[in-house]
C-alpha cells in the first residue's frame, strides 16, 4: 500500500517549515491526496520527487523510508563506483543501498547513477573475477545486492502513467538481469509504465507479448548472444511485428557489435542508460502530442 505522509512530516524530512510545505501544496508544486477526514496527505514517492526536482536536501531520510545516509556530503558520483565495489564485495547491503540512495536523494538522474556508478562498479568486479581476485560467489552476491537496490528504487519512483506502456526482455540464453532492470527503472523515472518481462525469453514469446499489450516502446537488452544468426532473424521478426502496431523497438547491450547492429532493424540503439532516457523522453513527447488514431507507423532509424 502507498505510504502517505502529513505535510508536517515532509517538512521535517527536508528541513523546511510546515507553512512553506502547505504553501507548496496549495501552489500545486506537491500533489496531495485527501484522507476521509479531509486532511492532506503526500505519497512518499511524491515527496521524494519534489525534494529531488527542487533540490531540497533530505535531512531526515528515515521519514521518507530511505536508508540512513552514508555521508551527507558524498552526493556526487565521483568516487562512488569504488565505494560500491567495496560494499558489494564485502556483502555490505546497507552501504550499497546508502551509496545509491544518497545520489538519488541528491537529485542525480537514475540513468547517471546506473552508467557511472553501478555499471562501472560491475566492470571492476568483472575484471577482478577474470583475474581470480574475486570468487564466483562474490560476483553472484554482488548482483543480488544490486538487484535489491534496484527493486527498492522502483518503489520510490512516482507511479507512471498507465497509457505509456513499455515492455522489455533479454533473449533466450542471456541471463543478465541488471541492464534489463536498469532500463525498466530509467523508463519509469521518465513516466513510462515500464515492465520487464524477464530474462531469457524466446522471440516468439516476446512477439506474443507485443501483440497482446501493444506497448509504445519495447526494449531489448543484449548482453550475451548464444547464436548470432538465430538472434538476427528472431530480432528482425520482432521488429516487423512491433512496427505493424507502431511499437518503437530500442536495443542496447554489450553484445551488440557494430557488425551485428548493421544487420538489425530497430527504432533506436542506445549505448547507455542516459541515451535510453533521452530517447524515451522524446518518444513520450511525440506520443502525447499526436492523437492515437492519427499516428503513422514508425520508420527504422
Ligand atoms: C554479473 C556478470 C555475470 C552474471 C550475470 C548475473 C545476472 N543476474 O545478471 C552471470 C553469472 C550470468 C554471468 C555469466 C557469464 N559471463 Co559475465 N559478467 C558479469 C559482469 C561482472 C557484470 C555484468 C553486468 O550486469 N554489468 C552491469 C551492466 C548494467 O553493465 P553493462 O552490461 O556494461 O551495461 C551498460 C551498457 O552496456 C548499457 N546497456 C546494457 N544493456 C542495455 C540495454 C538497453 C536497452 C540500453 C538502452 C542500454 C544498455 O547500459 C548499461 C549501463 O551503462 C561482467 C563484467 C562487465 N564488464 O560488465 C561479466 C562479463 C560480461 N561476463 C563475461 C563472461 C565471459 C561470462 C560467461 C560467458 C562466463 C561463462 N564462462 O559462463 C557467462 C555468460 C552468461 C550468459 N549465458 O548470459 C565476460 C565477457 C567477456 C567478453 N569479452 O565478452 C565479462 C566482461 C567478465 C570479464 N571481465 O571477463 N556474468
Amino acid at each position: 500500500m502507498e505510504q502517505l505522509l502529513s505535510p508536517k512530516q515532509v517538512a521535517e524530512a527536508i528541513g523546511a517549515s510546515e507553512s512553506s510545505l502547505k504553501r507548496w501544496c496549495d501552489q500545486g508544486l506537491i500533489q496531495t491526496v485527501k484522507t476521509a477526514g479531509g486532511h492532506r496527505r503526500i505519497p512518499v514517492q511524491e515527496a521524494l520527487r519534489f525534494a529531488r526536482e527542487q533540490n531540497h536536501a533530505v535531512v531526515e531520510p528515515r521519514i521518507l523510508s530511505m536508508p540512513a545516509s552514508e555521508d551527507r556530503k558524498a552526493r556526487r558520483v565521483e568516487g562512488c563506483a569504488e565505494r560500491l565495489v567495496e560494499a558489494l564485495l564485502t556483502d555490505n547491503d546497507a552501504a550499497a543501498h546508502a551509496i545509491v540512495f544518497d545520489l538519488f536523494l541528491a537529485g542525480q538522474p537514475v540513468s547517471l547513477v546506473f552508467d557511472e556508478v553501478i555499471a562501472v562498479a560491475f566492470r571492476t568486479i568483472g575484471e577482478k573475477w577474470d583475474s581470480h581476485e574475486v570468487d564466483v560467489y562474490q560476483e553472484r552476491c554482488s548482483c543480488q545486492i544490486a538487484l535489491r537496490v534496484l527493486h527498492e528504487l522502483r518503489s520510490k519512483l512516482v507511479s507512471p502513467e498507465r497509457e505509456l506502456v513499455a515492455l522489455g526482455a533479454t533473449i533466450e540464453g542471456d541471463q543478465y538481469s541488471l541492464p534489463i532492470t536498469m532500463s525498466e527503472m530509467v523508463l519509469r523515472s521518465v513516466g513510462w509504465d515500464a515492465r520487464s518481462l524477464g530474462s531469457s525469453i524466446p522471440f516468439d514469446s516476446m512477439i506474443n507479448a507485443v501483440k497482446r499489450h501493444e506497448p509504445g516502446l519495447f526494449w531489448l537488452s543484449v548482453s550475451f548472444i548464444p547464436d548470432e544468426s538465430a538472434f538476427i532473424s528472431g530480432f528482425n521478426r520482432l521488429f516487423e511485428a512491433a512496427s505493424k502496431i507502431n511499437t518503437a523497438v530500442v536495443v542496447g547491450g554489450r553484445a551488440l557489435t557494430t557488425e551485428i547492429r548493421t544487420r538489425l532493424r530497430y527504432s533506436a540503439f542506445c549505448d547507455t542508460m542516459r541515451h535510453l532516457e533521452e530517447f524515451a523522453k522524446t518518444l513520450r513527447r511525440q506520443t502525447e502530442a499526436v492523437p492515437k488514431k492519427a499516428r503513422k507507423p514508425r520508420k527504422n532509424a
Side-chain angles (χ1 to χ4, degrees):
M1 216 177 73
E2 197 172 49
Q3 191 195 345
L4 299 174
L5 302 165
S6 66
K8 189 175 176 198
Q9 286 175 302
V10 176
E12 216 178 305
I14 63 173
S17 69
E18 196 182 343
S19 58
S20 302
L21 221 292
K22 285 186 171 158
R23 193 175 64 250
W24 294 327
C25 292
D26 291 340
Q27 290 169 344
L29 294 173
I30 304 178
Q31 301 298 314
T32 58
V33 291
K34 284 254 165 81
T35 63
H39 296 291
R40 270 190 295 218
R41 290 289 177 266
I42 302 163
V44 72
Q45 295 88 344
E46 175 62 8
L48 286 165
R49 181 203 59 79
F50 175 78
R52 275 166 52 77
E53 286 178 10
Q54 303 292 321
N55 230 353
H56 282 286
V58 176
V59 290
E60 290 293 348
R62 277 169 217 271
I63 298 177
L64 303 180
S65 307
M66 299 295 279
S69 177
E70 264 257 295
D71 170 3
R72 292 228 168 95
K73 292 188 197 97
R75 300 241 156 131
R76 293 161 61 85
V77 293
E78 288 78 19
C80 285
E82 293 76 9
R83 285 168 46 228
L84 185 60
V85 171
E86 169 73 20
L88 293 172
L89 294 180
T90 52
D91 202 13
N92 192 340
D93 218 304
H97 273 74
I99 291 163
V100 172
F101 282 100
D102 278 351
L103 294 168
F104 177 71
L105 287 176
Q108 299 288 5
V110 294
S111 56
L112 183 86
V113 178
F114 294 164
D115 285 333
E116 296 196 4
V117 180
I118 304 186
V120 174
F122 274 93
R123 230 162 280 154
T124 307
I125 291 173
E127 283 158 18
K128 286 180 184 286
W129 165 80
D130 204 25
S131 59
H132 307 288
E133 279 175 72
V134 157
D135 225 306
V136 171
Y137 86 87
Q138 289 178 295
E139 184 213 55
R140 301 292 199 280
C141 239
S142 302
C143 285
Q144 295 305 317
I145 296 174
L147 285 170
R148 283 198 287 278
V149 171
L150 293 175
H151 287 131
E152 179 78 21
L153 194 57
R154 192 185 203 272
S155 69
K156 305 298 180 202
L157 297 171
V158 173
S159 296
E161 292 156 38
R162 281 279 161 103
E163 61 272 22
L164 281 168
V165 176
L167 297 178
T170 73
I171 63 165
E172 214 172 353
D174 180 340
Q175 307 296 340
Y176 288 85
S177 43
L178 286 174
I180 185 185
T181 313
M182 286 180 184
S183 305
E184 182 187 69
M185 241 43 73
V186 166
L187 291 167
R188 292 181 80 84
S189 77
V190 293
W192 286 83
D193 186 6
R195 286 139 199 260
S196 155
L197 299 172
S199 26
S200 203
I201 310 263
F203 276 110
D204 284 340
S205 186
M206 287 185 216
I207 292 170
N208 288 341
V210 165
K211 285 183 179 161
R212 195 163 304 154
H213 298 280
E214 299 195 356
L217 185 158
F218 190 93
W219 81 91
L220 194 71
S221 176
V222 193
S223 303
F224 181 77
I225 301 178
D227 178 336
E228 234 174 81
S229 61
F231 168 72
I232 291 164
S233 69
F235 182 88
N236 287 333
R237 277 193 300 115
L238 170 70
F239 178 78
E240 197 78 16
S243 56
K244 278 191 189 136
I245 50 172
N246 213 19
T247 297
V249 178
V250 186
V251 280
R254 59 176 359 266
L256 289 175
T257 58
T258 316
E259 205 274 316
I260 295 174
R261 277 178 52 195
T262 53
R263 299 171 64 194
L264 302 178
R265 298 174 66 208
Y266 47 77
S267 312
F269 169 80
C270 300
D271 274 314
T272 63
M273 293 293 149
R274 268 164 300 166
H275 291 165
L276 176 63
E277 179 180 333
E278 288 313 321
F279 177 76
K281 279 190 199 162
T282 309
L283 185 64
R284 182 187 162 168
R285 282 194 293 271
Q286 286 172 359
T287 309
E288 285 169 343
V290 182
K292 205 169 182 184
K293 280 187 184 155
R295 282 179 214 155
K296 296 233 170 65
R298 275 182 207 103
K299 296 264 164 54
N300 196 2

